[in-house]
Structure formats: structure tokens, C-alpha cells
Amino acid sequence: MASKREKIKLKSSKSNFHYYTMKNKTQTPDRLTLKKYDPIVREHVEFKETK
């Protein structure tokens, strides 16, 4: 049985900084957007899922 969780990359909307995390593809098939801390610009910004 294959895992339903997949490793994804979250890229900052203001810089080139990125996070790696896991997500469940069956529960969230669309692209993920989260507000997280970006240490380059020193503030919380929107991070969007990239491939």
C-alpha cells in the first residue's frame, strides 16, 4: 500500500526562502498556502506550495 502523504516544498512570496513539509493528498488535493515566518525578510509572509 502506498502512502497517502507526500513531501512538498513551500516557497515564500517575498524571497527565495522555502520550507519542506508533508501533506495528505487525498484530504487536500489543491495547492496549499500557509502563513509562516520568513527569516530573510524577518516577518510572517504567505508561503505557497510548489513542485
Side-chain angles (χ1 to χ4, degrees):
M1 184 176 149
S3 177
K4 293 181 181 180
R5 295 186 70 75
E6 179 182 84
K7 195 178 211 183
I8 61 166
K9 183 178 182 179
L10 296 170
K11 187 182 178 304
S12 172
S13 58
K14 288 195 176 179
S15 70
N16 266 344
F17 189 77
H18 59 268
Y19 283 105
Y20 286 102
T21 188
M22 302 284 278
K23 86 165 187 179
N24 189 326
K25 283 210 82 164
T26 56
Q27 290 179 346
T28 54
D30 50 335
R31 295 245 168 138
L32 198 63
T33 57
L34 297 172
K35 282 200 101 171
K36 293 179 78 63
Y37 183 73
D38 188 341
I40 295 171
V41 293
R42 293 188 190 164
E43 59 185 47
H44 282 80
V45 296
E46 197 169 77
F47 279 76
K48 293 182 180 179
E49 178 182 343
T50 61
K51 286 285 175 182

